[in-house]
Amino acid sequence: MVGNGNSQSGAPAGRPSSSAAADFAARFQASARVLWLIAVGIVGDRARAEDVVQEAAIVALGKLEQFQAGTNFTAWMGQIVRFVALNHARKEQKASLVHDREALEQSIRSDRSNGQSGELRLTRRGELPPDQEWFDDRVVRALKAVAEIPRACLLLRTVEGLEYSEIARLLGIPEGTAMSHVHRTRRMLRERLAAMQPGGGRAKDTQE
Amino acid sequence: MTPQREQDLDGLLEAYLAGRLTGPELTAFERRLAGEPALRAELEAQRRIDAALRGAFAAPELSGVLARAQVAVAAGRTPASVGRVPFGRRPLVHRLLIEAGVAAVIGLLIGGGYLFWQSRQGDGPRRPALVEQSLGDFYAARAQVDFAPDWECPPDRFYRTFDYRLGQPLLMASAPGVTMKGLAYSNTLSPHTVNVLAKVDGQGVIVYADLAETARPARVCENSGLRLFQRRLGPLILYELTPLDAPRVLDLLYIPSGPPAGSGG
C-alpha cells in the first residue's frame, strides 16, 4: 500500500518512507501510460505531457499520506495529473486555441490545394513528391482543434481501450459525458478529414 | 441524423472495428455495409483515424519521469520550481557521479549490444545478400509464387522480426478479407526492408517497411497497374503496393505497447 492516512515513520517531513516510495513507484509504473494519455489529451503535446506527469508525480510524492489504501491509485493519481495538466493548458489556452484554429484551417486549405488524398501522387519518374503529407499528421492536427477533456476522453478510449466508467472516474465527469465526448470527437474528426479530401467530399466509397 | 442515432452509429462502428459484433448483429451490420457506400466510407475513415491515433499517441518510456520526480523530491524541490532537472545546478560531486553512471551504462550497452549481435549470428532469419530491386520488381517476383512469404509469422515472431530488423516492433490487426501470409526481406527501400505479404479479397498485396530516415524513394512503374499508398508509423515508413483502389493492410499495422500475449516477453 502507498499510504494509510497516517504519517510514515522514519522519513523526513514531506518525504515518503523508502517502502512507501517503492510501492508508489510500482503503482506509478503500472499506471504511467494512462496518466500520460490524460496529460497529452489535455495539453496536446507529447513533450509537455511528460513534464506534466513528472510534476504530478512530485505533487503525489508529497501527498502520499492522503492516498487511502484500498482505493484506486490510478484514479487518485489521474486526478492530480488532470489538475496539473489543466494548469499547464490554461497558461497557453487563449493563444493556442487561436493559433490551432488558424493552423487547422491553413492545413485544410493546403491539403485541398495540393489535391491530397489517401493515394500517393507519384511524379512522372514514379517518385514521391517531396511535400507529401501524412494522414497521421492530418489527424493530429485536426485533434488540436478539440477541447482538452473531449480529447483526453478520445485518447483514453482509442489508445488505451478504457471503459467509459473508468474514463469518467479518471477525468471527474459523468459516464454519459465521457461517451458523448468520444462519439462527438470521432465524428468531428471524420468530418474534418473528409473535408480535407479534394473537393471537400467524402472518401472514394461515396463516389461509387 | 439525431445525436442519439449518431451515437448509436459510432457505437456500432467501434464495436465492429474492435471485433465485438457477433452473430446476428454482425451479419446485419455487414449487410448494411454491403449496401451503404457512405457507411463503408465512415468505417474506413474511422479505422484509419484510430490507427493514426494509436501510432501518434503511443506512450513513450516513462521510467525516467518518475526517476526525475524522485530526484526532485529528494532535493526538496517544489513542483512549481521543477522542470526537467537542470544538469548545471547539481553539485559537482553529483554531476561526477551521474557522469560516471552514464559512462558505465553506455559501456554496458555497447558491450551487451555486441554480445547480443554475436549471439544472433546463428539464430533467426539470416541476412542474405539481397539484390537491389524496385518495389514493382519485387511484387512481380512474389506474384509468380502466389505471394509466398519467406517465413510464416505468428504474432510473437512478427513482433520480434520488426524489432530485430528495424528496431521498432510492430503487430498487425486482423480484418475481414485480409490474410497475412508472412514476412520476407528485400532490398527495395534499403538492404533492410521488411515485407508483409498478404492476400486481400484474394489479391496479392505487399507492404514495404523501412526506417523513414534511411529509406530510398519509392518507385513504381507507371504502367504496372498497381497503386502505391504510404503511411508513417513512428520511425518507420510503410508503403502498400496493391492492385486495389485503397490500402487495406497499412492501417492494420500498429505499434504495440508490449509483446503479444504468450510470447514470453
Side-chain angles (χ1 to χ4, degrees):
Chain A
M1 107 185 72
V2 170
N4 57 9
N6 300 320
S7 60
Q8 304 285 342
S9 61
R15 295 188 196 177
S17 70
S18 58
S19 64
D23 192 31
F24 175 85
R27 288 172 183 262
F28 181 89
Q29 294 298 3
S31 306
R33 279 209 328 248
V34 167
L35 300 176
W36 181 82
L37 279 172
I38 295 172
V40 78
I42 292 174
V43 300
D45 177 273
R46 293 179 65 96
R48 283 177 64 209
E50 272 193 60
D51 290 341
V52 166
V53 175
Q54 179 181 322
E55 193 172 321
I58 295 166
V59 172
L61 282 166
K63 295 184 172 186
L64 276 188
E65 73 283 357
Q66 291 180 13
F67 177 71
Q68 299 295 314
T71 59
N72 186 323
F73 175 82
T74 309
W76 177 71
M77 193 66 219
Q79 200 176 26
I80 298 173
V81 169
R82 179 160 49 95
F83 287 142
V84 174
L86 284 169
N87 276 338
H88 272 248
R90 279 190 198 111
K91 288 177 189 168
E92 299 183 15
Q93 192 174 35
K94 190 174 177 182
S96 70
L97 275 179
V98 172
H99 171 77
D100 288 342
R101 282 212 185 99
E102 285 174 355
L104 180 66
E105 296 306 322
Q106 174 62 36
S107 75
I108 291 173
R109 283 195 297 274
S110 166
D111 285 342
R112 280 182 179 168
S113 65
N114 287 341
Q116 304 259 347
S117 67
E119 184 175 359
L120 298 181
R121 306 296 171 92
L122 301 178
T123 65
R124 289 174 65 85
R125 296 176 58 196
E127 295 174 357
L128 288 172
D131 60 347
Q132 182 66 51
E133 299 227 353
W134 314 105
F135 180 83
D136 293 13
D137 294 338
R138 296 206 291 267
V139 172
V140 173
R141 285 207 303 273
L143 196 63
K144 285 189 174 180
V146 177
E148 293 96 347
I149 296 298
R151 190 165 54 200
C153 288
L154 179 72
L155 293 181
L156 288 166
R157 180 71 177 175
T158 305
V159 180
E160 199 61 21
L162 295 188
E163 296 295 329
Y164 288 115
S165 57
E166 181 69 8
I167 295 170
R169 189 161 47 230
L170 288 169
L171 298 176
I173 55 177
E175 188 175 333
T177 305
M179 187 187 293
S180 64
H181 278 327
V182 170
H183 291 313
R184 270 209 300 267
T185 307
R186 279 185 176 150
R187 183 149 207 93
M188 185 282 285
L189 285 179
R190 291 202 298 271
E191 287 170 358
R192 292 274 188 184
L193 293 162
M196 290 177 186
Q197 301 288 333
R202 286 212 179 277
K204 288 177 181 174
D205 272 13
T206 57
Q207 297 165 10
E208 286 178 0
Chain B
M1 192 182 289
T2 65
Q4 184 55 49
R5 288 197 62 189
E6 282 181 2
Q7 198 152 311
D8 292 345
L9 173 64
D10 270 336
L12 268 178
L13 293 178
E14 182 185 73
Y16 182 76
L17 288 171
R20 290 201 305 268
L21 285 187
T22 55
E25 273 188 326
L26 177 63
T27 308
F29 186 70
E30 290 191 329
R31 195 176 298 133
R32 270 189 73 186
L33 278 178
E36 294 182 36
L39 182 60
R40 284 207 305 277
E42 295 263 352
L43 179 73
E44 177 61 15
Q46 192 55 58
R47 195 167 56 76
R48 296 192 71 190
I49 289 168
D50 287 352
L53 291 175
R54 290 188 189 110
F57 293 97
E61 171 55 47
L62 292 163
S63 56
V65 168
L66 179 60
R68 287 196 296 272
Q70 286 167 332
V71 167
V73 169
R77 290 197 175 92
T78 60
S81 68
V82 175
R84 308 281 171 98
V85 180
F87 212 68
R89 290 183 202 164
R90 295 176 190 279
L92 180 61
V93 174
H94 284 194
R95 268 186 283 159
L96 289 174
L97 280 172
I98 290 170
E99 282 167 3
V102 167
V105 168
I106 290 172
L108 281 171
L109 285 175
I110 292 171
Y114 176 70
L115 289 173
F116 177 72
W117 177 79
Q118 276 202 320
S119 72
R120 295 304 299 256
Q121 294 313 293
D123 182 27
R126 301 281 299 207
R127 293 186 180 189
L130 297 166
V131 178
E132 183 176 335
Q133 59 187 149
S134 72
L135 277 64
D137 286 347
F138 183 78
Y139 185 97
R142 291 290 161 162
Q144 289 179 359
V145 291
D146 196 28
F147 298 92
D150 287 348
W151 66 94
E152 294 176 0
C153 262
D156 61 327
R157 195 166 181 203
F158 192 96
Y159 176 97
R160 280 189 284 113
T161 299
F162 276 93
D163 192 15
Y164 166 58
R165 185 78 166 178
L166 298 175
Q168 173 60 68
L170 284 188
L171 284 176
M172 183 170 158
S174 56
V178 179
T179 305
M180 195 269 286
K181 299 191 74 176
L183 298 181
Y185 289 159
S186 70
N187 185 355
T188 44
L189 299 169
S190 84
H192 310 292
T193 306
V194 180
N195 300 102
V196 180
L197 291 96
K199 281 289 184 80
V200 177
D201 298 336
Q203 307 253 41
V205 170
I206 298 180
V207 171
Y208 302 76
D210 214 314
L211 291 171
E213 278 191 10
T214 52
R216 294 188 292 265
R219 291 165 181 268
V220 176
C221 189
E222 276 185 2
N223 58 7
S224 67
L226 298 170
R227 294 185 171 199
L228 184 65
F229 299 87
Q230 74 174 1
R231 181 180 170 212
R232 183 76 184 263
L233 188 57
L236 305 182
I237 181 75
L238 309 173
Y239 296 98
E240 178 170 339
L241 194 55
T242 174
L244 304 171
D245 288 340
R248 297 278 297 278
V249 181
L250 277 187
D251 292 338
L252 298 177
L253 295 162
Y254 65 97
I255 296 174
S257 55
S263 66

